[in-house]
Amino acid sequence: FNGTQDMSFSSRNVYLTGAGGPGFALKEAGSGTLSISGDTVEVAGKFEVGGFEKVVIAAEGDMRGGFGQVGSAVPESGDATPGVRTTGDLILRAAQIYPTTDGVLRFDSDRSIRVEQTGRRAAPLSAGGTLILEAPRIEQAGTLRAPFGEIRLTATGYNVTDDSGAETFVPGSVALLPGSMTSTAADGRTILYGYTYDGQSWYAPTSAGTTGSTELSTPPEKRVSLSGDIVDVQEGATIDVSGSGDVLGLEFVAGPMGQTNILDAPGNYAIVPAYGNGIIAPIDPLYNPGTSSDTVNSGTAAGYLPLGSSVWLAAFDGNPAGWYTLLPAEYALTPGGYLLSLAGDTPMTMEARRASDDSFLVLGRRGLSGTGITDQTLSTWRLTSGSDVRKRSEFFETYGNSFFSS
């Protein structure tokens, strides 16, 4: 949309998308500031803004987007690419900004883009995405991430014509400022990425169910590209393309362990105690498709986790009582993971009890992080360790670091 006066929007969670429609054109930057803020900002479509001198989008926590879908790769440009485009200056504030798994997230400005820090968050459970920033001037003073993916900052110069008709070239500039983090590392995390066939061929998550899917011959590429007439990486700025972490491709195998995948049962989730409640559930084409803001199916349909979904659990198996982020059930197979399901509404003692199948029965209640919204009563939850999950269903588990090096 277009605007020329100060406007401000705020919500706990912000969901940005849009479509200009036939004949829609963005106005040149004029006056006024558009401010959009929330705890989490999700960019699921092309959000275009014209007329404002400045657009400020702020998240106390994560700012993310990209939203790859099964059977459909996300284009790097165009109306179908999730992102923000503005004719004025664009300021992005967040603890971290990143694309979701196998997605593309881009930010474009006709004038400038500045990234600023609002806090610190652990690296997200995202892999293989592409983050693109394009503007004549880019200042990176925050945290940009694309674990096992690509980050591109591109600044293109332009000509300015004065009243006499003389042209002056203004060079495109990219500056990484002190304290900034530009990273494709996973910070030691194991992130679900795609699937395998017979444990021998690996495919990207967006290619599932497509005819003639292209087999992966290399792991998702880690790359940071800085392009401009002037590129200034200042002292204290960090670029991290290290090999920290790994990707994991899963494949259920029907056989002696069972003909059904235990992870597919309705109401199954996973927790990884090492993550606590410091992350949000990933958007993944295979395991949590759509967007966390899609509340039409969330909470009941398999594969949807509302943003902020978490569970408080009493102490169990050496882990402290506290809040834990609910993750797609498949994360029970990552290091330290547990499969979680509701075992009943009848409270037991606060002390966790080991069941006959070696799972743990634990008191707990669901809630939404940062809202104060929780179940009013405690329920009994069943926690099954990853090793015990493997005794009930068989999986090929393929890790990128070993698969692609062999």
Side-chain angles (χ1 to χ4, degrees), residues 97-406:
I97 302 172
Y98 59 91
T100 56
T101 292
D102 243 21
V104 178
L105 175 62
R106 68 177 296 145
F107 297 93
D108 295 89
S109 169
D110 291 350
R111 292 171 55 165
S112 71
I113 298 176
R114 179 178 170 86
V115 181
E116 298 178 349
Q117 195 77 42
T118 60
R120 298 292 178 183
R121 289 288 177 92
L125 297 175
S126 167
T130 300
L131 177 62
I132 302 171
L133 278 66
E134 290 195 8
R137 185 175 77 256
I138 299 174
E139 294 180 342
Q140 160 39 350
T143 297
L144 302 178
R145 296 189 188 270
F148 297 102
E150 183 176 0
I151 299 174
R152 287 186 228 152
L153 309 184
T154 301
T156 303
Y158 58 98
N159 289 315
V160 175
T161 304
D162 62 22
D163 294 339
S164 66
E167 289 189 344
T168 302
F169 179 71
V170 179
S173 65
V174 176
L176 304 190
L177 303 181
S180 66
M181 169 66 72
T182 307
S183 173
T184 59
D187 286 2
R189 301 189 184 284
T190 296
I191 302 171
L192 296 180
Y193 185 76
Y195 63 101
T196 62
Y197 182 76
D198 286 342
Q200 301 297 315
S201 303
W202 198 327
Y203 298 91
T206 50
S207 65
T210 60
T211 302
S213 300
T214 302
E215 182 179 345
L216 295 174
S217 57
T218 60
E221 184 178 22
K222 297 188 288 289
R223 175 188 294 179
V224 173
S225 301
L226 309 176
S227 301
D229 301 298
I230 300 172
V231 175
D232 181 16
V233 180
Q234 298 181 13
E235 184 176 357
T238 299
I239 299 176
D240 187 355
V241 292
S242 64
S244 170
D246 207 347
V247 288
L248 172 62
L250 295 178
E251 178 184 352
F252 168 69
V253 181
M257 296 290 185
Q259 297 298 308
T260 59
N261 184 348
I262 185 177
L263 301 178
D264 285 344
N268 274 351
Y269 307 97
I271 65 167
V272 179
Y275 300 161
N277 200 33
I279 60 172
I280 57 178
I283 296 296
D284 184 289
L286 289 178
Y287 304 119
N288 192 28
T291 76
S292 291
S293 297
D294 181 3
T295 57
V296 175
N297 297 302
S298 64
T300 56
Y304 283 90
L305 282 167
L307 192 60
S309 295
S310 57
V311 60
W312 182 91
L313 297 170
F316 68 97
D317 199 19
N319 297 293
W323 286 98
Y324 296 93
T325 296
L326 291 178
L327 302 172
E330 288 75 12
Y331 271 92
L333 297 176
T334 63
Y338 290 83
L339 181 65
L340 177 74
S341 59
L342 190 63
D345 296 328
T346 303
M348 42 180 274
T349 64
M350 289 298 292
E351 185 175 349
R353 177 167 60 89
R354 192 180 273 289
S356 58
D357 62 357
D358 285 336
S359 65
F360 293 89
L361 296 176
V362 184
L363 281 182
R365 64 180 184 271
R366 285 192 60 169
L368 289 177
S369 296
T371 66
I373 299 173
T374 69
D375 293 340
Q376 295 302 302
T377 59
L378 293 171
S379 301
T380 303
W381 295 81
R382 184 182 303 277
L383 284 155
T384 305
S385 68
S387 59
D388 285 325
V389 168
R390 294 174 178 89
K391 296 176 183 178
R392 294 163 173 76
S393 295
E394 183 177 357
F395 302 89
F396 285 143
E397 300 173 52
T398 308
Y399 287 85
N401 287 341
S402 56
F403 181 86
F404 293 110
S405 63
S406 60

Side-chain angles (χ1 to χ4, degrees), residues 1-135:
F1 66 95
N2 290 306
T4 55
Q5 297 181 354
D6 289 349
M7 300 178 68
S8 180
F9 300 91
S10 180
S11 176
R12 184 176 73 87
N13 297 318
V14 175
Y15 178 77
L16 298 178
T17 187
F24 176 77
L26 293 178
K27 292 183 179 179
E28 292 185 3
S31 61
T33 297
L34 171 65
S35 298
I36 300 172
S37 63
D39 291 340
T40 303
V41 174
E42 295 191 327
V43 186
K46 179 68 72 177
F47 183 70
E48 297 183 292
V49 182
F52 294 99
E53 180 182 18
K54 182 187 301 182
V55 174
V56 180
I57 303 176
E60 288 298 319
D62 292 3
M63 185 182 300
R64 66 179 182 177
F67 306 101
Q69 300 291 324
V70 167
S72 178
V74 181
E76 292 188 355
S77 62
D79 291 339
T81 306
V84 176
R85 179 175 181 268
T86 177
T87 53
D89 298 313
L90 177 60
I91 298 175
L92 305 172
R93 296 175 180 148
Q96 58 183 351
I97 302 172
Y98 59 91
T100 56
T101 292
D102 243 21
V104 178
L105 175 62
R106 68 177 296 145
F107 297 93
D108 295 89
S109 169
D110 291 350
R111 292 171 55 165
S112 71
I113 298 176
R114 179 178 170 86
V115 181
E116 298 178 349
Q117 195 77 42
T118 60
R120 298 292 178 183
R121 289 288 177 92
L125 297 175
S126 167
T130 300
L131 177 62
I132 302 171
L133 278 66
E134 290 195 8

